[in-house]
Amino acid sequence: MTPDAGLLENISHVYEKIPGQDEDVHIFVLEMPRELDKEDGQGRVLRKSESGRRKSKTVSMLSHSLYYVTEDCPLDRLVEELSVKKNLFSIGVVDSRGEAKGLIIRRELFDLVGRSGNTDHMKGKRAVQVMKLVKTFAPDTSVFSVGAVVEEEMKENLIVYFMIKDEYGRFAGSFSTKDLMIFYARAMNREMQLVQEIQSRIVEPESRLELNNGGMICGVNRHAREAGGDYYLIRRLPDGRIFYALADVSGKGYAASLLTAIIGSFLENTTFSKGLSSSIGKLNKFLQDKFSEKGLFVTGVFVLFDENNPVMEVCSCAHPFFYVLRENKLRKLKSRSNPPLGLEGVDILESFHIRPEQGDCLFLLSDGIPEQMNELGETYPLVSLASLTAQMDHSDFRETVLTKIDSFRGFAPQHDDISLLIHRISSR
């Protein structure tokens, strides 16, 4: 039987490699033409594509319009319908077989119509005459791979439109650089929320430890952004000793958050069996090996003590905000300091010892407190911290601290992360 000549025009010849066979297999595909009505039965020229299932993180999720017209669609009719559908910014154009050919951009079409809205001069013109050839993507193309492909277009124009074609060449939607940016912004926001949630588990908003001799250690934290670089820790070691620390990672955002997680993991799992200097030196060496080339470093103060021993061991790493409140006077503790962690490959850092008196309060701060300014450009007065010691026993201690700082800054923004750690020595 001789095949119909019309059918022969619709036969596609493809080759397919079959695993385990040396030769290609000849495959013939017969695609019957799909005749499209010029109107949808109700006199409308706009048709809607029956797109397949939208997959997460693919361009199919970006499509803001599934509407299309045939290439011989009268432009005056299209303008009339678009005047009602205000939210259609691009429309696909297909041929009589249903194959996608290009896009009509609403803004450009209405520029042709003019401000008067008179479509008389559009009579006799067809959609193909104003159709625009655009870059096309398959529906399952990863959204994150599209950004690199359209980067040049985004540099030249604020909003650029793209078309989606399915595996048969049919119109499956359109999207713009605006849709792409909205997706990226939402994805970034979700990621930052996740980072914030994770970091809040690493750096608790508030923590306290009541000591056996009547003393107490309290810690407070609030990030300036979704993710920050401040870190503090209060923990009782397996041998009964107490360790606490406050550290400030250079920078903010993802990089700083990652470093706080690393520092937290290290300090949470260190027993300090070889001494404070050796343990912090080990942390320093790790950070220096991994992150010094990226310019990341950490300042901090690390304290180790036994409740039965009045002498405390301190390892200070270029962190200047270490104070003692004694007899209602706030004094800065000065001592020889090591370089910031991560800058120099030192295995063992230097430490020193202090002997606090009964009733003393030790203060560790991140620079977000002393450098916080109000609307007049004044910096936060550290002497006002003295009044906080009386509030340490209250359950709303964190709220008290932050309210005091917020009251000072007024409408001025919080420029940096805020962390505060107070160690109240028993007065017994």
Side-chain angles (χ1 to χ4, degrees):
M1 178 179 178
T2 304
D4 184 270
L7 291 179
L8 289 175
E9 294 179 358
N10 300 304
I11 294 180
S12 300
H13 184 202
V14 298
Y15 297 92
E16 183 171 300
K17 176 69 72 176
I18 303 298
Q21 295 188 15
D22 296 331
E23 298 182 358
D24 294 335
V25 176
H26 296 267
I27 298 177
F28 295 89
V29 179
L30 175 62
E31 294 184 5
M32 296 301 294
R34 185 179 65 171
E35 294 295 336
L36 297 175
D37 296 332
K38 295 180 181 179
E39 300 179 354
D40 68 352
Q42 298 181 0
R44 293 191 293 261
V45 295
L46 277 170
R47 307 293 298 274
K48 192 171 184 180
S49 171
E50 297 178 359
S51 62
R53 185 172 63 89
R54 295 189 174 193
K55 296 181 180 179
S56 177
K57 299 179 182 178
T58 65
V59 295
S60 63
M61 296 292 296
L62 298 180
S63 179
H64 64 254
S65 172
L66 296 174
Y67 284 90
Y68 66 88
V69 294
T70 57
E71 57 187 357
D72 60 349
C73 167
L75 279 181
D76 57 337
R77 296 285 302 281
L78 176 59
V79 170
E80 181 181 344
E81 291 188 24
L82 288 178
S83 298
V84 178
K85 292 185 177 295
K86 304 290 187 180
N87 61 338
L88 291 185
F89 303 106
S90 60
I91 305 94
V93 178
V94 305
D95 62 17
S96 60
R97 295 162 56 87
E99 184 178 348
K101 294 299 182 181
L103 291 179
I104 293 177
I105 310 304
R106 178 192 184 94
R107 181 185 65 252
E108 297 176 3
L109 176 60
F110 278 83
D111 283 345
L112 292 175
V113 174
R115 293 186 178 181
S116 65
N118 190 338
T119 60
D120 290 344
H121 65 289
M122 307 291 287
K123 292 186 181 300
K125 293 185 178 181
R126 304 296 174 182
V128 69
Q129 294 177 263
V130 295
M131 180 188 75
K132 188 174 185 178
L133 299 178
V134 297
K135 192 183 293 293
T136 64
F137 296 92
D140 58 352
T141 304
S142 169
V143 175
F144 299 102
S145 68
V146 171
V149 176
V150 304
E151 183 177 355
E152 290 303 318
E153 286 89 342
M154 294 171 66
K155 289 180 180 178
E156 297 178 2
N157 298 286
L158 184 60
I159 299 181
V160 184
Y161 291 87
F162 309 97
M163 187 164 61
I164 305 173
K165 283 185 181 181
D166 67 14
E167 58 185 316
Y168 303 110
R170 296 174 300 193
F171 178 75
S174 60
F175 67 96
S176 70
T177 47
K178 180 180 179 180
D179 300 310
L180 191 62
M181 291 300 101
I182 291 174
F183 175 87
Y184 285 161
R186 289 174 177 171
M188 180 67 74
N189 185 52
R190 287 193 295 270
E191 289 297 318
M192 289 302 291
Q193 288 178 347
L194 180 59
V195 168
Q196 185 179 25
E197 182 180 344
I198 292 173
Q199 193 169 33
S200 67
R201 295 172 183 266
I202 297 172
V203 187
E204 297 182 17
E206 182 176 4
S207 180
R208 63 176 60 213
L209 176 65
E210 295 186 11
L211 306 178
N212 296 331
N213 58 9
M216 179 180 291
I217 306 175
C218 290
V220 171
N221 170 264
R222 183 174 72 185
H223 301 309
R225 302 179 184 175
E226 288 82 358
D230 277 10
Y231 175 80
Y232 81 87
L233 174 66
I234 307 168
R235 64 179 287 231
R236 188 181 294 276
L237 302 178
D239 60 8
R241 292 180 298 169
I242 307 296
F243 171 79
Y244 64 83
L246 187 145
D248 190 351
V249 178
S250 61
K252 298 177 182 65
Y254 284 125
S257 177
L258 174 62
L259 234 59
T260 60
I262 292 173
I263 295 169
S265 177
F266 179 90
L267 295 178
E268 285 275 10
N269 294 282
T270 299
T271 61
F272 300 96
S273 58
K274 295 184 179 181
L276 181 65
S277 296
S278 177
S279 296
I280 302 303
K282 187 177 180 180
L283 174 61
N284 173 64
K285 189 65 169 58
F286 175 82
L287 296 177
Q288 196 273 334
D289 289 343
K290 302 296 183 182
F291 302 104
S292 61
E293 293 183 358
K294 302 299 181 182
L296 298 173
F297 60 88
V298 182
T299 66
V301 176
F302 308 88
V303 180
L304 184 64
F305 72 98
D306 186 332
E307 293 182 86
N308 298 317
N309 188 339
V311 178
M312 305 167 60
E313 185 179 7
V314 180
C315 183
S316 177
C317 299
H319 194 85
F321 306 112
F322 189 20
Y323 303 87
V324 59
L325 178 67
R326 180 175 295 169
E327 297 177 352
N328 292 323
K329 292 183 179 180
L330 196 66
R331 300 180 176 90
K332 191 170 187 177
L333 284 171
K334 296 182 179 180
S335 62
R336 184 173 180 180
S337 179
N338 300 289
L341 299 178
L343 288 186
E344 299 179 13
V346 182
D347 293 324
I348 299 179
L349 302 178
E350 293 188 21
S351 65
F352 62 94
H353 294 81
I354 60 175
R355 183 189 292 269
E357 299 179 3
Q358 289 185 347
D360 282 355
C361 272
L362 302 176
F363 286 79
L364 280 174
L365 323 173
S366 67
D367 55 6
I369 297 178
E371 295 178 4
Q372 176 63 57
M373 292 189 295
N374 62 13
E375 298 160 291
L376 301 177
E378 302 167 332
T379 56
Y380 185 77
L382 294 182
V383 292
S384 64
L385 291 174
S387 62
L388 295 175
T389 59
Q391 306 290 329
M392 290 179 64
D393 295 301
H394 296 177
S395 59
D396 59 349
F397 178 64
R398 179 176 184 270
E399 188 66 26
T400 300
V401 172
L402 297 180
T403 298
K404 196 174 187 68
I405 295 174
D406 291 343
S407 176
F408 166 78
R409 67 183 178 88
F411 290 103
Q414 179 183 329
H415 292 292
D416 206 348
D417 302 330
I418 290 174
S419 291
L420 169 66
L421 197 153
I422 304 177
H423 178 189
R424 185 178 66 196
I425 310 297
S426 173
S427 58
R428 300 176 192 174

PDB file of all heavy atoms in Angstrom, residues 223-251:
ATOM      1  N   HIS A 223      20.299  38.912  66.398  1.00  0.00           N
ATOM      2  CA  HIS A 223      20.996  39.232  65.160  1.00  0.00           C
ATOM      3  C   HIS A 223      20.456  40.525  64.560  1.00  0.00           C
ATOM      4  O   HIS A 223      19.277  40.858  64.711  1.00  0.00           O
ATOM      5  CB  HIS A 223      20.838  38.106  64.136  1.00  0.00           C
ATOM      6  CG  HIS A 223      21.363  36.785  64.605  1.00  0.00           C
ATOM      7  ND1 HIS A 223      22.623  36.641  65.134  1.00  0.00           N
ATOM      8  CD2 HIS A 223      20.802  35.545  64.614  1.00  0.00           C
ATOM      9  CE1 HIS A 223      22.816  35.375  65.449  1.00  0.00           C
ATOM     10  NE2 HIS A 223      21.724  34.689  65.149  1.00  0.00           N
ATOM     11  N   ALA A 224      21.322  41.222  63.852  1.00  0.00           N
ATOM     12  CA  ALA A 224      20.898  42.426  63.143  1.00  0.00           C
ATOM     13  C   ALA A 224      20.186  42.054  61.850  1.00  0.00           C
ATOM     14  O   ALA A 224      19.350  42.788  61.352  1.00  0.00           O
ATOM     15  CB  ALA A 224      22.100  43.319  62.842  1.00  0.00           C
ATOM     16  N   ARG A 225      20.554  40.892  61.289  1.00  0.00           N
ATOM     17  CA  ARG A 225      19.918  40.388  60.076  1.00  0.00           C
ATOM     18  C   ARG A 225      19.413  38.982  60.355  1.00  0.00           C
ATOM     19  O   ARG A 225      19.459  38.507  61.477  1.00  0.00           O
ATOM     20  CB  ARG A 225      20.918  40.384  58.914  1.00  0.00           C
ATOM     21  CG  ARG A 225      21.507  41.764  58.604  1.00  0.00           C
ATOM     22  CD  ARG A 225      22.512  41.686  57.467  1.00  0.00           C
ATOM     23  NE  ARG A 225      23.147  42.970  57.240  1.00  0.00           N
ATOM     24  CZ  ARG A 225      24.137  43.166  56.363  1.00  0.00           C
ATOM     25  NH1 ARG A 225      24.576  42.141  55.654  1.00  0.00           N
ATOM     26  NH2 ARG A 225      24.669  44.357  56.202  1.00  0.00           N
ATOM     27  N   GLU A 226      18.954  38.306  59.262  1.00  0.00           N
ATOM     28  CA  GLU A 226      18.442  36.954  59.434  1.00  0.00           C
ATOM     29  C   GLU A 226      19.511  36.016  59.971  1.00  0.00           C
ATOM     30  O   GLU A 226      19.230  35.088  60.714  1.00  0.00           O
ATOM     31  CB  GLU A 226      17.902  36.424  58.103  1.00  0.00           C
ATOM     32  CG  GLU A 226      16.593  37.059  57.668  1.00  0.00           C
ATOM     33  CD  GLU A 226      16.783  38.398  56.993  1.00  0.00           C
ATOM     34  OE1 GLU A 226      17.939  38.857  56.899  1.00  0.00           O
ATOM     35  OE2 GLU A 226      15.782  38.984  56.555  1.00  0.00           O
ATOM     36  N   ALA A 227      20.753  36.224  59.543  1.00  0.00           N
ATOM     37  CA  ALA A 227      21.863  35.395  60.015  1.00  0.00           C
ATOM     38  C   ALA A 227      23.004  36.307  60.421  1.00  0.00           C
ATOM     39  O   ALA A 227      23.270  37.311  59.763  1.00  0.00           O
ATOM     40  CB  ALA A 227      22.322  34.433  58.919  1.00  0.00           C
ATOM     41  N   GLY A 228      23.649  35.965  61.525  1.00  0.00           N
ATOM     42  CA  GLY A 228      24.694  36.848  62.025  1.00  0.00           C
ATOM     43  C   GLY A 228      25.966  36.116  62.368  1.00  0.00           C
ATOM     44  O   GLY A 228      26.089  34.907  62.185  1.00  0.00           O
ATOM     45  N   GLY A 229      26.932  36.882  62.892  1.00  0.00           N
ATOM     46  CA  GLY A 229      28.240  36.327  63.185  1.00  0.00           C
ATOM     47  C   GLY A 229      28.595  36.291  64.655  1.00  0.00           C
ATOM     48  O   GLY A 229      29.732  35.977  65.009  1.00  0.00           O
ATOM     49  N   ASP A 230      27.643  36.627  65.536  1.00  0.00           N
ATOM     50  CA  ASP A 230      27.909  36.548  66.978  1.00  0.00           C
ATOM     51  C   ASP A 230      27.679  35.126  67.476  1.00  0.00           C
ATOM     52  O   ASP A 230      26.772  34.425  67.004  1.00  0.00           O
ATOM     53  CB  ASP A 230      26.996  37.498  67.740  1.00  0.00           C
ATOM     54  CG  ASP A 230      27.531  38.927  67.749  1.00  0.00           C
ATOM     55  OD1 ASP A 230      28.490  39.197  67.013  1.00  0.00           O
ATOM     56  OD2 ASP A 230      26.953  39.757  68.471  1.00  0.00           O
ATOM     57  N   TYR A 231      28.483  34.730  68.454  1.00  0.00           N
ATOM     58  CA  TYR A 231      28.303  33.405  69.042  1.00  0.00           C
ATOM     59  C   TYR A 231      28.634  33.486  70.526  1.00  0.00           C
ATOM     60  O   TYR A 231      29.603  34.137  70.935  1.00  0.00           O
ATOM     61  CB  TYR A 231      29.228  32.382  68.375  1.00  0.00           C
ATOM     62  CG  TYR A 231      29.169  31.018  69.029  1.00  0.00           C
ATOM     63  CD1 TYR A 231      28.138  30.142  68.743  1.00  0.00           C
ATOM     64  CD2 TYR A 231      30.116  30.639  69.979  1.00  0.00           C
ATOM     65  CE1 TYR A 231      28.047  28.913  69.367  1.00  0.00           C
ATOM     66  CE2 TYR A 231      30.043  29.411  70.607  1.00  0.00           C
ATOM     67  CZ  TYR A 231      29.008  28.548  70.297  1.00  0.00           C
ATOM     68  OH  TYR A 231      28.921  27.333  70.926  1.00  0.00           O
ATOM     69  N   TYR A 232      27.821  32.823  71.354  1.00  0.00           N
ATOM     70  CA  TYR A 232      28.168  32.684  72.763  1.00  0.00           C
ATOM     71  C   TYR A 232      27.766  31.288  73.221  1.00  0.00           C
ATOM     72  O   TYR A 232      26.910  30.624  72.624  1.00  0.00           O
ATOM     73  CB  TYR A 232      27.489  33.768  73.613  1.00  0.00           C
ATOM     74  CG  TYR A 232      26.058  33.481  73.976  1.00  0.00           C
ATOM     75  CD1 TYR A 232      25.735  32.735  75.115  1.00  0.00           C
ATOM     76  CD2 TYR A 232      25.007  33.942  73.179  1.00  0.00           C
ATOM     77  CE1 TYR A 232      24.420  32.465  75.437  1.00  0.00           C
ATOM     78  CE2 TYR A 232      23.699  33.682  73.500  1.00  0.00           C
ATOM     79  CZ  TYR A 232      23.407  32.931  74.630  1.00  0.00           C
ATOM     80  OH  TYR A 232      22.107  32.649  74.953  1.00  0.00           O
ATOM     81  N   LEU A 233      28.386  30.844  74.293  1.00  0.00           N
ATOM     82  CA  LEU A 233      28.119  29.505  74.817  1.00  0.00           C
ATOM     83  C   LEU A 233      28.352  29.493  76.324  1.00  0.00           C
ATOM     84  O   LEU A 233      29.306  30.095  76.824  1.00  0.00           O
ATOM     85  CB  LEU A 233      29.033  28.475  74.146  1.00  0.00           C
ATOM     86  CG  LEU A 233      28.969  27.040  74.689  1.00  0.00           C
ATOM     87  CD1 LEU A 233      27.597  26.434  74.414  1.00  0.00           C
ATOM     88  CD2 LEU A 233      30.061  26.178  74.080  1.00  0.00           C
ATOM     89  N   ILE A 234      27.458  28.813  77.042  1.00  0.00           N
ATOM     90  CA  ILE A 234      27.628  28.562  78.473  1.00  0.00           C
ATOM     91  C   ILE A 234      27.401  27.065  78.676  1.00  0.00           C
ATOM     92  O   ILE A 234      26.331  26.552  78.330  1.00  0.00           O
ATOM     93  CB  ILE A 234      26.595  29.344  79.326  1.00  0.00           C
ATOM     94  CG1 ILE A 234      26.614  30.839  78.976  1.00  0.00           C
ATOM     95  CG2 ILE A 234      26.846  29.127  80.811  1.00  0.00           C
ATOM     96  CD1 ILE A 234      25.438  31.612  79.565  1.00  0.00           C
ATOM     97  N   ARG A 235      28.390  26.381  79.209  1.00  0.00           N
ATOM     98  CA  ARG A 235      28.185  24.941  79.407  1.00  0.00           C
ATOM     99  C   ARG A 235      28.972  24.426  80.609  1.00  0.00           C
ATOM    100  O   ARG A 235      30.044  24.947  80.944  1.00  0.00           O
ATOM    101  CB  ARG A 235      28.572  24.146  78.163  1.00  0.00           C
ATOM    102  CG  ARG A 235      30.038  24.217  77.771  1.00  0.00           C
ATOM    103  CD  ARG A 235      30.339  23.381  76.529  1.00  0.00           C
ATOM    104  NE  ARG A 235      30.317  21.952  76.801  1.00  0.00           N
ATOM    105  CZ  ARG A 235      31.309  21.133  76.460  1.00  0.00           C
ATOM    106  NH1 ARG A 235      32.399  21.600  75.842  1.00  0.00           N
ATOM    107  NH2 ARG A 235      31.231  19.853  76.723  1.00  0.00           N
ATOM    108  N   ARG A 236      28.389  23.420  81.226  1.00  0.00           N
ATOM    109  CA  ARG A 236      29.072  22.723  82.310  1.00  0.00           C
ATOM    110  C   ARG A 236      29.736  21.488  81.706  1.00  0.00           C
ATOM    111  O   ARG A 236      29.091  20.676  81.041  1.00  0.00           O
ATOM    112  CB  ARG A 236      28.084  22.317  83.397  1.00  0.00           C
ATOM    113  CG  ARG A 236      28.747  21.748  84.656  1.00  0.00           C
ATOM    114  CD  ARG A 236      27.680  21.336  85.673  1.00  0.00           C
ATOM    115  NE  ARG A 236      26.943  22.474  86.183  1.00  0.00           N
ATOM    116  CZ  ARG A 236      27.348  23.243  87.188  1.00  0.00           C
ATOM    117  NH1 ARG A 236      28.522  22.987  87.791  1.00  0.00           N
ATOM    118  NH2 ARG A 236      26.616  24.240  87.612  1.00  0.00           N
ATOM    119  N   LEU A 237      31.041  21.338  81.931  1.00  0.00           N
ATOM    120  CA  LEU A 237      31.795  20.231  81.356  1.00  0.00           C
ATOM    121  C   LEU A 237      31.534  18.945  82.139  1.00  0.00           C
ATOM    122  O   LEU A 237      31.069  18.977  83.283  1.00  0.00           O
ATOM    123  CB  LEU A 237      33.288  20.561  81.368  1.00  0.00           C
ATOM    124  CG  LEU A 237      33.697  21.843  80.623  1.00  0.00           C
ATOM    125  CD1 LEU A 237      35.194  22.081  80.763  1.00  0.00           C
ATOM    126  CD2 LEU A 237      33.298  21.778  79.163  1.00  0.00           C
ATOM    127  N   PRO A 238      31.837  17.800  81.534  1.00  0.00           N
ATOM    128  CA  PRO A 238      31.620  16.515  82.217  1.00  0.00           C
ATOM    129  C   PRO A 238      32.332  16.410  83.562  1.00  0.00           C
ATOM    130  O   PRO A 238      31.850  15.721  84.466  1.00  0.00           O
ATOM    131  CB  PRO A 238      32.168  15.493  81.212  1.00  0.00           C
ATOM    132  CG  PRO A 238      32.016  16.159  79.883  1.00  0.00           C
ATOM    133  CD  PRO A 238      32.272  17.606  80.136  1.00  0.00           C
ATOM    134  N   ASP A 239      33.480  17.095  83.708  1.00  0.00           N
ATOM    135  CA  ASP A 239      34.217  17.005  84.975  1.00  0.00           C
ATOM    136  C   ASP A 239      33.734  18.027  85.999  1.00  0.00           C
ATOM    137  O   ASP A 239      34.322  18.168  87.082  1.00  0.00           O
ATOM    138  CB  ASP A 239      35.719  17.164  84.727  1.00  0.00           C
ATOM    139  CG  ASP A 239      36.073  18.513  84.097  1.00  0.00           C
ATOM    140  OD1 ASP A 239      35.181  19.379  83.989  1.00  0.00           O
ATOM    141  OD2 ASP A 239      37.246  18.692  83.697  1.00  0.00           O
ATOM    142  N   GLY A 240      32.682  18.779  85.684  1.00  0.00           N
ATOM    143  CA  GLY A 240      32.111  19.726  86.634  1.00  0.00           C
ATOM    144  C   GLY A 240      32.572  21.159  86.444  1.00  0.00           C
ATOM    145  O   GLY A 240      31.969  22.083  87.008  1.00  0.00           O
ATOM    146  N   ARG A 241      33.619  21.387  85.679  1.00  0.00           N
ATOM    147  CA  ARG A 241      34.088  22.746  85.443  1.00  0.00           C
ATOM    148  C   ARG A 241      33.091  23.498  84.555  1.00  0.00           C
ATOM    149  O   ARG A 241      32.247  22.902  83.878  1.00  0.00           O
ATOM    150  CB  ARG A 241      35.467  22.742  84.792  1.00  0.00           C
ATOM    151  CG  ARG A 241      36.590  22.228  85.691  1.00  0.00           C
ATOM    152  CD  ARG A 241      37.928  22.264  84.952  1.00  0.00           C
ATOM    153  NE  ARG A 241      37.909  21.397  83.767  1.00  0.00           N
ATOM    154  CZ  ARG A 241      38.863  21.411  82.834  1.00  0.00           C
ATOM    155  NH1 ARG A 241      39.885  22.244  82.948  1.00  0.00           N
ATOM    156  NH2 ARG A 241      38.775  20.590  81.802  1.00  0.00           N
ATOM    157  N   ILE A 242      33.223  24.820  84.557  1.00  0.00           N
ATOM    158  CA  ILE A 242      32.344  25.673  83.756  1.00  0.00           C
ATOM    159  C   ILE A 242      33.163  26.319  82.638  1.00  0.00           C
ATOM    160  O   ILE A 242      34.276  26.824  82.872  1.00  0.00           O
ATOM    161  CB  ILE A 242      31.691  26.781  84.613  1.00  0.00           C
ATOM    162  CG1 ILE A 242      31.004  26.175  85.842  1.00  0.00           C
ATOM    163  CG2 ILE A 242      30.706  27.588  83.775  1.00  0.00           C
ATOM    164  CD1 ILE A 242      29.857  25.262  85.526  1.00  0.00           C
ATOM    165  N   PHE A 243      32.583  26.305  81.452  1.00  0.00           N
ATOM    166  CA  PHE A 243      33.202  27.006  80.323  1.00  0.00           C
ATOM    167  C   PHE A 243      32.172  27.954  79.722  1.00  0.00           C
ATOM    168  O   PHE A 243      31.012  27.591  79.539  1.00  0.00           O
ATOM    169  CB  PHE A 243      33.658  26.014  79.247  1.00  0.00           C
ATOM    170  CG  PHE A 243      34.097  26.683  77.960  1.00  0.00           C
ATOM    171  CD1 PHE A 243      35.354  27.250  77.863  1.00  0.00           C
ATOM    172  CD2 PHE A 243      33.235  26.760  76.866  1.00  0.00           C
ATOM    173  CE1 PHE A 243      35.754  27.884  76.692  1.00  0.00           C
ATOM    174  CE2 PHE A 243      33.617  27.376  75.699  1.00  0.00           C
ATOM    175  CZ  PHE A 243      34.887  27.945  75.606  1.00  0.00           C
ATOM    176  N   TYR A 244      32.610  29.183  79.457  1.00  0.00           N
ATOM    177  CA  TYR A 244      31.744  30.083  78.699  1.00  0.00           C
ATOM    178  C   TYR A 244      32.609  30.944  77.785  1.00  0.00           C
ATOM    179  O   TYR A 244      33.811  31.134  78.002  1.00  0.00           O
ATOM    180  CB  TYR A 244      30.837  30.927  79.598  1.00  0.00           C
ATOM    181  CG  TYR A 244      31.509  31.895  80.531  1.00  0.00           C
ATOM    182  CD1 TYR A 244      31.926  33.159  80.110  1.00  0.00           C
ATOM    183  CD2 TYR A 244      31.671  31.584  81.887  1.00  0.00           C
ATOM    184  CE1 TYR A 244      32.502  34.064  80.993  1.00  0.00           C
ATOM    185  CE2 TYR A 244      32.231  32.470  82.772  1.00  0.00           C
ATOM    186  CZ  TYR A 244      32.656  33.722  82.324  1.00  0.00           C
ATOM    187  OH  TYR A 244      33.231  34.606  83.196  1.00  0.00           O
ATOM    188  N   ALA A 245      31.974  31.432  76.711  1.00  0.00           N
ATOM    189  CA  ALA A 245      32.715  32.187  75.702  1.00  0.00           C
ATOM    190  C   ALA A 245      31.770  33.094  74.940  1.00  0.00           C
ATOM    191  O   ALA A 245      30.566  32.841  74.846  1.00  0.00           O
ATOM    192  CB  ALA A 245      33.400  31.228  74.727  1.00  0.00           C
ATOM    193  N   LEU A 246      32.346  34.155  74.396  1.00  0.00           N
ATOM    194  CA  LEU A 246      31.632  35.020  73.469  1.00  0.00           C
ATOM    195  C   LEU A 246      32.580  35.329  72.325  1.00  0.00           C
ATOM    196  O   LEU A 246      33.726  35.731  72.544  1.00  0.00           O
ATOM    197  CB  LEU A 246      31.160  36.304  74.146  1.00  0.00           C
ATOM    198  CG  LEU A 246      30.247  37.209  73.301  1.00  0.00           C
ATOM    199  CD1 LEU A 246      29.204  37.893  74.190  1.00  0.00           C
ATOM    200  CD2 LEU A 246      31.034  38.258  72.534  1.00  0.00           C
ATOM    201  N   ALA A 247      32.116  35.105  71.094  1.00  0.00           N
ATOM    202  CA  ALA A 247      32.953  35.309  69.919  1.00  0.00           C
ATOM    203  C   ALA A 247      32.199  36.120  68.870  1.00  0.00           C
ATOM    204  O   ALA A 247      30.970  36.091  68.808  1.00  0.00           O
ATOM    205  CB  ALA A 247      33.387  33.964  69.328  1.00  0.00           C
ATOM    206  N   ASP A 248      32.948  36.824  68.056  1.00  0.00           N
ATOM    207  CA  ASP A 248      32.374  37.667  67.001  1.00  0.00           C
ATOM    208  C   ASP A 248      33.079  37.347  65.688  1.00  0.00           C
ATOM    209  O   ASP A 248      34.269  37.617  65.532  1.00  0.00           O
ATOM    210  CB  ASP A 248      32.550  39.143  67.370  1.00  0.00           C
ATOM    211  CG  ASP A 248      31.770  40.069  66.443  1.00  0.00           C
ATOM    212  OD1 ASP A 248      31.241  39.584  65.428  1.00  0.00           O
ATOM    213  OD2 ASP A 248      31.712  41.280  66.720  1.00  0.00           O
ATOM    214  N   VAL A 249      32.332  36.766  64.734  1.00  0.00           N
ATOM    215  CA  VAL A 249      32.894  36.405  63.433  1.00  0.00           C
ATOM    216  C   VAL A 249      32.856  37.620  62.521  1.00  0.00           C
ATOM    217  O   VAL A 249      31.873  38.367  62.495  1.00  0.00           O
ATOM    218  CB  VAL A 249      32.086  35.250  62.802  1.00  0.00           C
ATOM    219  CG1 VAL A 249      32.635  34.894  61.427  1.00  0.00           C
ATOM    220  CG2 VAL A 249      32.102  34.036  63.711  1.00  0.00           C
ATOM    221  N   SER A 250      33.928  37.818  61.768  1.00  0.00           N
ATOM    222  CA  SER A 250      33.961  38.936  60.832  1.00  0.00           C
ATOM    223  C   SER A 250      32.881  38.757  59.776  1.00  0.00           C
ATOM    224  O   SER A 250      32.649  37.660  59.279  1.00  0.00           O
ATOM    225  CB  SER A 250      35.330  39.016  60.148  1.00  0.00           C
ATOM    226  OG  SER A 250      35.601  37.833  59.410  1.00  0.00           O
ATOM    227  N   GLY A 251      32.195  39.844  59.428  1.00  0.00           N
ATOM    228  CA  GLY A 251      31.160  39.776  58.412  1.00  0.00           C
ATOM    229  C   GLY A 251      29.823  39.315  58.957  1.00  0.00           C
ATOM    230  O   GLY A 251      29.652  39.079  60.153  1.00  0.00           O
TER     231      GLY A 251
END
